[in-house]
Coordinates of all heavy atoms in Angstrom, one line a residue:
L271 N 8.3 0.4 2.4 CA 7.2 -0.1 1.4 C 6.9 1.1 0.5 O 7.1 2.3 0.8 CB 6.0 -0.4 2.1 CG 6.1 -1.5 3.2 CD1 4.6 -1.7 4.0 CD2 6.4 -2.7 2.6
D272 N 6.6 0.9 -0.7 CA 6.4 1.8 -1.7 C 4.9 1.8 -2.2 O 4.3 0.8 -2.3 CB 7.3 1.6 -3.0 CG 8.7 1.6 -2.6 OD1 9.2 2.5 -2.0 OD2 9.4 0.6 -3.0
V273 N 4.3 3.0 -2.5 CA 3.0 3.1 -2.8 C 3.1 3.7 -4.4 O 3.8 4.5 -4.6 CB 2.2 4.1 -2.1 CG1 0.7 4.2 -2.5 CG2 2.1 3.6 -0.7
D274 N 2.1 3.1 -5.3 CA 2.2 3.5 -6.7 C 2.0 4.9 -6.8 O 1.3 5.5 -6.0 CB 1.3 2.6 -7.5 CG -0.1 2.8 -7.1 OD1 -0.4 2.8 -5.9 OD2 -0.9 2.7 -8.0
E275 N 2.3 5.6 -8.0 CA 2.0 6.9 -8.3 C 0.5 7.1 -8.5 O -0.2 6.2 -9.2 CB 2.7 7.3 -9.4 CG 4.1 7.5 -9.3 CD 4.4 8.6 -8.3 OE1 3.9 9.7 -8.4 OE2 5.3 8.4 -7.5
P276 N -0.2 8.1 -8.1 CA -1.7 8.4 -8.3 C -1.9 8.6 -9.8 O -1.1 9.2 -10.6 CB -2.0 9.5 -7.5 CG -0.8 10.2 -7.4 CD 0.4 9.2 -7.3
E277 N -3.1 8.2 -10.4 CA -3.6 8.3 -11.7 C -4.2 9.8 -11.8 O -4.2 10.2 -13.1 CB -4.4 7.2 -12.1 CG -3.9 5.9 -12.1 CD -4.1 5.1 -10.8 OE1 -4.5 5.7 -9.8 OE2 -3.7 3.9 -10.8
L278 N -4.8 10.2 -10.8 CA -5.6 11.5 -11.0 C -4.7 12.6 -10.6 O -3.9 12.6 -9.8 CB -6.9 11.4 -10.1 CG -7.7 10.2 -10.5 CD1 -8.9 10.2 -9.5 CD2 -8.3 10.2 -11.8
K279 N -4.9 13.8 -11.2 CA -4.2 15.0 -11.0 C -4.5 15.8 -9.7 O -3.7 16.4 -9.1 CB -4.4 16.0 -12.1 CG -3.7 15.5 -13.5 CD -3.9 16.5 -14.6 CE -3.5 15.9 -15.8 NZ -2.5 16.5 -16.6
R280 N -5.8 15.6 -9.3 CA -6.2 16.2 -8.1 C -7.1 15.3 -7.3 O -7.5 14.3 -7.8 CB -7.3 17.3 -8.5 CG -6.7 18.5 -9.2 CD -7.7 19.5 -9.7 NE -8.6 19.2 -10.7 CZ -8.3 19.1 -12.0 NH1 -7.2 19.2 -12.3 NH2 -9.4 18.7 -12.7
P281 N -7.2 15.6 -6.0 CA -8.1 14.8 -5.1 C -9.6 14.8 -5.7 O -9.9 15.9 -6.2 CB -8.0 15.4 -3.8 CG -6.6 16.1 -3.7 CD -6.6 16.6 -5.2
I282 N -10.3 13.9 -5.3 CA -11.7 13.8 -5.8 C -12.4 15.1 -5.1 O -12.2 15.6 -4.0 CB -12.4 12.6 -5.3 CG1 -12.5 12.4 -3.8 CG2 -11.9 11.5 -6.2 CD1 -13.4 11.2 -3.5
S283 N -13.4 15.6 -5.8 CA -14.2 16.7 -5.3 C -15.2 16.4 -4.2 O -15.6 15.2 -4.1 CB -14.9 17.4 -6.4 OG -15.8 16.6 -7.0
G284 N -15.5 17.3 -3.4 CA -16.5 17.1 -2.3 C -15.9 16.5 -1.0 O -16.7 16.2 -0.2
L285 N -14.6 16.5 -1.0 CA -14.0 16.0 0.4 C -14.2 17.0 1.6 O -14.2 18.2 1.2 CB -12.6 15.7 0.2 CG -12.1 14.6 -0.7 CD1 -10.7 14.5 -0.7 CD2 -12.7 13.2 -0.2
H286 N -14.4 16.5 2.6 CA -14.4 17.4 3.8 C -13.1 18.1 3.9 O -12.1 17.5 3.7 CB -14.7 16.7 5.0 CG -15.0 17.4 6.3 ND1 -13.9 18.0 7.0 CD2 -16.0 17.9 6.9 CE1 -14.4 18.6 8.1 NE2 -15.7 18.6 7.9
E287 N -13.1 19.5 4.3 CA -11.8 20.2 4.5 C -10.8 19.5 5.2 O -9.6 19.9 5.1 CB -12.2 21.6 4.7 CG -12.7 21.8 6.0 CD -12.9 23.3 6.2 OE1 -13.5 23.9 5.5 OE2 -12.7 23.8 7.5
N288 N -11.2 18.9 6.3 CA -10.2 18.3 7.2 C -10.1 16.7 6.9 O -9.5 16.0 7.8 CB -10.8 18.3 8.7 CG -10.8 19.7 9.1 OD1 -10.0 20.6 8.7 ND2 -11.8 20.1 10.0
H289 N -10.2 16.4 5.7 CA -10.0 14.9 5.3 C -8.6 14.6 5.6 O -7.6 15.3 5.3 CB -10.3 14.6 3.8 CG -10.2 13.3 3.4 ND1 -9.0 12.6 3.2 CD2 -11.3 12.4 3.1 CE1 -9.4 11.4 2.8 NE2 -10.7 11.2 2.9
P290 N -8.2 13.4 6.4 CA -6.8 13.2 6.7 C -5.9 12.9 5.5 O -4.7 13.1 5.7 CB -7.1 12.0 7.7 CG -8.3 11.3 7.3 CD -9.3 12.5 6.7
H291 N -6.4 12.3 4.4 CA -5.5 11.9 3.3 C -6.1 12.2 2.0 O -6.4 11.3 1.2 CB -5.2 10.4 3.4 CG -4.8 10.0 4.8 ND1 -3.5 10.2 5.2 CD2 -5.4 9.3 5.8 CE1 -3.3 9.8 6.4 NE2 -4.4 9.1 6.8
P292 N -6.2 13.5 1.7 CA -6.9 13.8 0.4 C -6.1 13.3 -0.8 O -6.6 12.9 -1.8 CB -7.1 15.3 0.3 CG -6.0 15.8 1.4 CD -5.9 14.6 2.3
D293 N -4.9 13.2 -0.7 CA -4.0 12.9 -1.9 C -4.2 11.2 -2.2 O -4.0 10.9 -3.3 CB -2.5 13.1 -1.6 CG -2.1 14.5 -1.7 OD1 -2.9 15.2 -2.3 OD2 -1.0 14.9 -1.2
L294 N -4.5 10.6 -1.1 CA -4.9 9.2 -1.5 C -6.1 9.0 -2.4 O -6.3 8.0 -3.0 CB -5.0 8.2 -0.1 CG -3.8 8.0 0.7 CD1 -4.1 7.3 1.9 CD2 -2.8 7.3 -0.2
T295 N -6.9 9.9 -2.4 CA -8.1 9.9 -3.3 C -7.7 10.1 -4.7 O -8.5 10.0 -5.6 CB -9.2 10.9 -2.9 OG1 -8.8 12.1 -3.1 CG2 -9.6 10.7 -1.4
R296 N -6.5 10.5 -5.0 CA -6.0 10.7 -6.4 C -5.7 9.2 -7.1 O -5.5 9.0 -8.2 CB -4.8 11.5 -6.5 CG -5.0 12.9 -6.0 CD -3.8 13.8 -5.9 NE -2.9 13.5 -7.2 CZ -1.7 13.6 -7.1 NH1 -0.9 13.9 -6.0 NH2 -1.0 13.5 -8.2
H297 N -5.8 8.2 -6.2 CA -5.5 6.8 -6.7 C -6.7 6.2 -7.1 O -7.8 6.3 -6.5 CB -4.9 6.0 -5.6 CG -3.5 6.4 -5.2 ND1 -2.3 5.9 -5.7 CD2 -3.1 7.3 -4.3 CE1 -1.3 6.5 -5.2 NE2 -1.8 7.3 -4.3
K298 N -6.7 5.4 -8.3 CA -7.8 4.5 -8.9 C -7.6 3.2 -8.2 O -8.6 2.5 -8.0 CB -7.8 4.5 -10.3 CG -8.2 5.8 -10.9 CD -8.3 5.6 -12.4 CE -8.6 7.0 -13.2 NZ -8.9 6.7 -14.5
H299 N -6.5 2.9 -7.8 CA -6.2 1.5 -7.1 C -5.0 1.8 -6.2 O -4.2 2.9 -6.4 CB -6.0 0.5 -8.1 CG -4.8 0.6 -8.9 ND1 -4.9 1.3 -10.2 CD2 -3.5 0.3 -8.8 CE1 -3.7 1.3 -10.7 NE2 -2.8 0.8 -10.0
L300 N -4.6 1.0 -5.3 CA -3.5 1.1 -4.4 C -2.6 -0.2 -4.5 O -3.2 -1.1 -4.3 CB -4.1 1.4 -3.0 CG -3.0 1.7 -1.9 CD1 -2.3 3.0 -2.3 CD2 -3.7 1.8 -0.6
V301 N -1.4 0.0 -4.8 CA -0.4 -1.1 -5.0 C 0.6 -0.8 -3.9 O 1.2 0.3 -3.9 CB 0.1 -1.2 -6.3 CG1 1.1 -2.3 -6.3 CG2 -1.0 -1.5 -7.3
V302 N 0.9 -1.6 -3.0 CA 1.9 -1.5 -2.0 C 3.0 -2.5 -2.3 O 2.6 -3.7 -2.5 CB 1.5 -1.6 -0.5 CG1 2.6 -1.5 0.4 CG2 0.4 -0.5 -0.3
T303 N 4.2 -2.2 -2.4 CA 5.3 -3.0 -2.9 C 6.5 -2.9 -2.0 O 6.6 -1.9 -1.2 CB 5.7 -3.0 -4.3 OG1 6.2 -1.6 -4.5 CG2 4.5 -3.2 -5.2
Q304 N 7.4 -3.9 -2.1 CA 8.7 -3.7 -1.3 C 9.7 -4.2 -2.5 O 9.5 -5.3 -3.0 CB 8.8 -4.6 -0.2 CG 10.1 -4.6 0.5 CD 10.2 -5.3 1.7 OE1 9.4 -5.1 2.7 NE2 11.1 -6.3 1.8
T305 N 10.6 -3.4 -2.8 CA 11.7 -3.9 -3.6 C 12.7 -4.6 -3.0 O 13.2 -4.2 -2.0 CB 12.3 -2.6 -4.5 OG1 11.3 -1.9 -5.1 CG2 13.2 -3.0 -5.4
E306 N 13.0 -5.8 -3.5 CA 14.0 -6.8 -2.8 C 15.2 -6.6 -3.8 O 15.0 -7.1 -5.1 CB 13.5 -8.1 -2.8 CG 14.4 -9.1 -2.1 CD 15.0 -8.7 -0.9 OE1 14.2 -8.4 0.1 OE2 16.2 -8.8 -0.7
H307 N 16.3 -6.2 -3.5 CA 17.5 -6.1 -4.3 C 18.3 -7.4 -4.5 O 19.1 -7.4 -5.3 CB 18.3 -5.0 -3.8 CG 17.7 -3.7 -3.7 ND1 17.4 -2.9 -4.9 CD2 17.2 -2.9 -2.7 CE1 16.8 -1.7 -4.5 NE2 16.7 -1.7 -3.2
R308 N 17.8 -8.4 -3.9 CA 18.6 -9.8 -4.0 C 17.4 -10.7 -4.3 O 17.0 -11.4 -3.6 CB 19.4 -10.2 -2.7 CG 20.4 -9.1 -2.5 CD 21.1 -9.6 -1.1 NE 20.0 -10.1 -0.3 CZ 20.0 -10.3 1.1 NH1 21.0 -9.8 1.7 NH2 19.1 -10.8 1.7
P309 N 17.1 -10.8 -5.7 CA 16.1 -11.8 -6.0 C 16.3 -13.2 -5.7 O 15.5 -14.1 -5.8 CB 15.8 -11.5 -7.6 CG 17.1 -11.0 -8.0 CD 17.7 -10.1 -6.8
D310 N 17.6 -13.6 -5.4 CA 18.0 -14.9 -5.1 C 17.5 -15.5 -3.8 O 17.5 -16.5 -3.5 CB 19.6 -15.1 -5.2 CG 20.3 -14.1 -4.2 OD1 19.6 -13.2 -3.8 OD2 21.3 -14.5 -3.6
W311 N 16.8 -14.5 -3.0 CA 16.2 -14.9 -1.7 C 15.1 -16.0 -1.9 O 14.8 -16.7 -1.0 CB 15.7 -13.8 -0.9 CG 14.5 -12.9 -1.6 CD1 14.7 -11.8 -2.3 CD2 13.2 -13.3 -1.5 NE1 13.4 -11.4 -2.7 CE2 12.6 -12.2 -2.2 CE3 12.4 -14.2 -0.7 CZ2 11.1 -12.2 -2.3 CZ3 11.1 -14.1 -0.8 CH2 10.5 -13.1 -1.8
L312 N 14.5 -16.0 -3.1 CA 13.3 -17.0 -3.3 C 13.9 -18.4 -3.3 O 13.2 -19.3 -3.0 CB 12.8 -16.8 -4.6 CG 11.6 -15.8 -4.5 CD1 11.1 -15.4 -5.9 CD2 10.4 -16.1 -3.6
A313 N 15.2 -18.5 -3.5 CA 15.8 -19.9 -3.7 C 16.3 -20.4 -2.4 O 16.9 -21.6 -2.4 CB 16.9 -20.0 -4.8
D314 N 16.3 -19.7 -1.3 CA 16.9 -20.1 -0.1 C 16.0 -20.3 1.0 O 14.7 -20.0 0.8 CB 18.1 -19.3 0.3 CG 17.8 -17.8 0.7 OD1 16.6 -17.6 1.1 OD2 18.5 -16.9 0.5
D315 N 16.5 -20.7 2.0 CA 15.6 -21.0 3.3 C 15.0 -19.7 3.8 O 14.1 -19.8 4.7 CB 16.4 -21.7 4.4 CG 16.8 -23.2 3.9 OD1 16.1 -23.7 2.9 OD2 17.7 -23.7 4.5
Q316 N 15.5 -18.6 3.5 CA 15.0 -17.3 4.1 C 13.7 -16.8 3.4 O 13.1 -15.8 3.8 CB 16.1 -16.3 4.0 CG 17.2 -16.5 4.9 CD 16.9 -16.5 6.3 OE1 16.2 -15.7 6.8 NE2 17.2 -17.6 7.0
S317 N 13.1 -17.4 2.3 CA 12.0 -16.9 1.6 C 10.8 -16.7 2.5 O 10.2 -15.6 2.4 CB 11.8 -17.7 0.4 OG 11.4 -19.0 0.8
A318 N 10.6 -17.7 3.4 CA 9.3 -17.6 4.2 C 9.5 -16.4 5.1 O 8.6 -15.6 5.4 CB 9.1 -18.9 5.0
K319 N 10.7 -16.1 5.8 CA 10.9 -15.1 6.6 C 10.8 -13.7 5.8 O 10.2 -12.7 6.5 CB 12.2 -15.1 7.2 CG 12.6 -13.9 8.2 CD 13.9 -14.2 8.8 CE 14.2 -12.9 9.7 NZ 13.4 -11.8 9.8
V320 N 11.4 -13.6 4.7 CA 11.2 -12.4 3.8 C 9.8 -12.1 3.6 O 9.3 -10.9 3.8 CB 12.0 -12.5 2.6 CG1 11.7 -11.4 1.6 CG2 13.5 -12.5 2.8
L321 N 9.0 -13.0 3.2 CA 7.5 -12.8 3.0 C 6.8 -12.5 4.2 O 5.9 -11.6 4.2 CB 7.0 -14.1 2.3 CG 7.5 -14.4 0.8 CD1 7.1 -15.7 0.3 CD2 7.1 -13.2 -0.2
A322 N 7.1 -13.2 5.3 CA 6.5 -12.8 6.5 C 6.8 -11.4 7.0 O 5.9 -10.7 7.5 CB 6.9 -13.9 7.6
D323 N 8.0 -11.1 7.0 CA 8.4 -9.7 7.2 C 7.6 -8.6 6.3 O 7.2 -7.6 7.0 CB 9.9 -9.5 7.0 CG 10.8 -10.2 8.1 OD1 10.1 -10.6 9.2 OD2 11.9 -10.3 7.9
F324 N 7.6 -8.8 5.1 CA 6.7 -8.0 4.2 C 5.3 -7.9 4.7 O 4.7 -6.8 4.9 CB 6.9 -8.4 2.8 CG 5.9 -7.5 1.9 CD1 6.2 -6.2 1.6 CD2 4.7 -8.1 1.4 CE1 5.3 -5.5 0.8 CE2 3.9 -7.2 0.6 CZ 4.3 -5.9 0.3
A325 N 4.7 -9.0 5.0 CA 3.2 -9.1 5.5 C 3.2 -8.3 6.8 O 2.2 -7.5 6.9 CB 2.8 -10.5 5.7
D326 N 4.1 -8.3 7.6 CA 4.2 -7.5 8.9 C 4.1 -6.1 8.6 O 3.5 -5.3 9.2 CB 5.2 -8.0 9.8 CG 5.1 -9.4 10.5 OD1 3.9 -9.9 10.4 OD2 6.1 -9.8 11.0
K327 N 5.1 -5.6 7.6 CA 5.1 -4.3 7.2 C 3.8 -3.8 6.6 O 3.5 -2.6 6.8 CB 6.3 -4.0 6.4 CG 7.7 -4.2 7.0 CD 8.7 -4.0 5.9 CE 10.1 -4.3 6.5 NZ 11.1 -4.3 5.5
A328 N 3.3 -4.6 5.9 CA 2.0 -4.2 5.1 C 0.7 -4.2 6.0 O -0.2 -3.7 5.6 CB 1.8 -5.1 3.9
A329 N 0.8 -4.9 7.1 CA -0.4 -5.1 7.9 C -1.1 -3.7 8.3 O -2.3 -3.6 8.2 CB 0.0 -5.8 9.2
P330 N -0.4 -2.7 8.7 CA -1.0 -1.4 8.9 C -1.9 -0.9 7.7 O -3.0 -0.5 7.9 CB 0.0 -0.3 9.3 CG 1.2 -1.2 9.8 CD 1.0 -2.5 8.9
V331 N -1.3 -1.0 6.6 CA -2.1 -0.6 5.4 C -3.3 -1.6 5.2 O -4.5 -1.0 4.9 CB -1.2 -0.7 4.2 CG1 -2.0 -0.4 2.8 CG2 -0.1 0.3 4.2
L332 N -3.3 -2.9 5.2 CA -4.4 -3.8 5.1 C -5.3 -3.5 6.2 O -6.6 -3.6 6.0 CB -3.8 -5.2 5.2 CG -2.9 -5.6 4.0 CD1 -2.4 -7.0 4.2 CD2 -3.5 -5.4 2.6
N333 N -5.0 -3.3 7.4 CA -5.9 -2.9 8.5 C -6.7 -1.7 8.2 O -7.9 -1.6 8.6 CB -5.1 -2.8 9.9 CG -4.6 -4.1 10.3 OD1 -5.1 -5.3 9.9 ND2 -3.5 -4.1 11.2
W334 N -5.9 -0.6 7.8 CA -6.7 0.6 7.5 C -7.7 0.4 6.4 O -8.9 0.8 6.4 CB -5.7 1.7 7.1 CG -6.4 3.0 6.8 CD1 -6.5 4.0 7.9 CD2 -6.9 3.4 5.7 NE1 -7.2 5.1 7.2 CE2 -7.4 4.7 5.8 CE3 -7.1 3.0 4.3 CZ2 -8.0 5.5 4.9 CZ3 -7.6 3.7 3.4 CH2 -8.2 5.0 3.6
L335 N -7.3 -0.4 5.3 CA -8.1 -0.7 4.2 C -9.4 -1.3 4.7 O -10.5 -1.1 4.3 CB -7.5 -1.5 3.2 CG -6.5 -0.6 2.3 CD1 -5.7 -1.4 1.4 CD2 -7.3 0.5 1.4
N336 N -9.1 -2.5 5.5 CA -10.3 -3.3 6.1 C -11.3 -2.4 6.8 O -12.6 -2.5 6.8 CB -9.8 -4.5 6.8 CG -9.3 -5.5 6.0 OD1 -9.7 -5.7 4.8 ND2 -8.5 -6.3 6.5
Q337 N -10.8 -1.5 7.7 CA -11.5 -0.7 8.4 C -12.4 0.5 7.8 O -13.5 0.8 7.9 CB -10.8 0.0 9.7 CG -11.5 0.8 10.6 CD -10.7 1.4 11.6 OE1 -9.4 1.3 11.7 NE2 -11.2 2.3 12.5
H338 N -11.6 1.1 6.7 CA -12.2 2.2 6.1 C -12.8 1.9 4.8 O -13.6 2.6 4.2 CB -11.2 3.3 5.9 CG -10.7 3.9 7.3 ND1 -11.5 4.7 8.0 CD2 -9.5 3.5 8.0 CE1 -10.7 4.9 9.1 NE2 -9.7 4.3 9.1
V339 N -12.4 0.7 4.1 CA -13.0 0.5 2.8 C -13.8 -0.8 2.9 O -14.8 -0.9 2.2 CB -11.8 0.3 1.8 CG1 -12.3 -0.1 0.4 CG2 -10.9 1.6 1.6
G340 N -13.3 -1.8 3.6 CA -14.1 -3.0 3.7 C -13.2 -4.1 3.3 O -12.1 -3.9 2.8
P341 N -13.3 -5.3 3.9 CA -12.5 -6.5 3.6 C -12.5 -6.8 2.2 O -13.5 -6.5 1.4 CB -13.2 -7.6 4.5 CG -14.6 -7.2 4.7 CD -14.6 -5.7 4.6
P342 N -11.4 -7.5 1.7 CA -11.4 -8.0 0.5 C -12.5 -8.9 0.0 O -13.0 -9.7 0.7 CB -10.1 -8.8 0.2 CG -9.4 -8.8 1.6 CD -10.4 -8.0 2.5
A343 N -13.0 -8.9 -1.3 CA -14.0 -9.8 -1.8 C -13.6 -11.0 -1.9 O -12.3 -11.5 -2.1 CB -14.4 -9.3 -3.2
T344 N -14.4 -12.0 -1.5 CA -14.0 -13.5 -1.6 C -14.6 -14.2 -2.8 O -15.5 -13.7 -3.5 CB -14.5 -14.3 -0.2 OG1 -15.9 -14.0 -0.1 CG2 -13.9 -13.7 0.9

């Protein structure tokens, strides 16, 4: 999985010195992607499996966000 490049040059000020992920505060938003080198997968029977596999890989990120940031707005 790939995370987008941060927009800010430095972590936000005022973080606790033991903050576990200061570099993540350099992001204004977070985009997690997976590059698929064979775009033809959408046209075959494997598309549901590819998407389910990506969701499984992204689950730890989504769980962390839900726990530390809050659930997505509805």
Side-chain angles (χ1 to χ4, degrees):
L271 302 180
D272 302 311
V273 177
D274 64 322
E275 291 295 318
E277 296 89 354
L278 304 174
K279 294 181 189 243
R280 296 180 288 285
I282 60 173
S283 62
L285 288 179
H286 188 273
E287 65 183 39
N288 293 330
H289 190 282
H291 304 286
D293 283 345
L294 288 179
T295 68
R296 294 174 51 212
H297 292 269
K298 291 183 179 181
H299 62 274
L300 187 61
V301 177
V302 178
T303 59
Q304 174 178 305
T305 303
E306 178 59 49
H307 297 287
R308 297 177 323 205
D310 58 332
W311 63 267
L312 277 173
D314 64 28
D315 294 338
Q316 293 297 311
S317 60
K319 181 178 178 349
V320 171
L321 293 170
D323 289 346
F324 174 74
D326 288 343
K327 288 178 188 176
V331 174
L332 297 175
N333 291 337
W334 184 91
L335 287 170
N336 283 334
Q337 181 179 1
H338 297 282
V339 178
T344 56

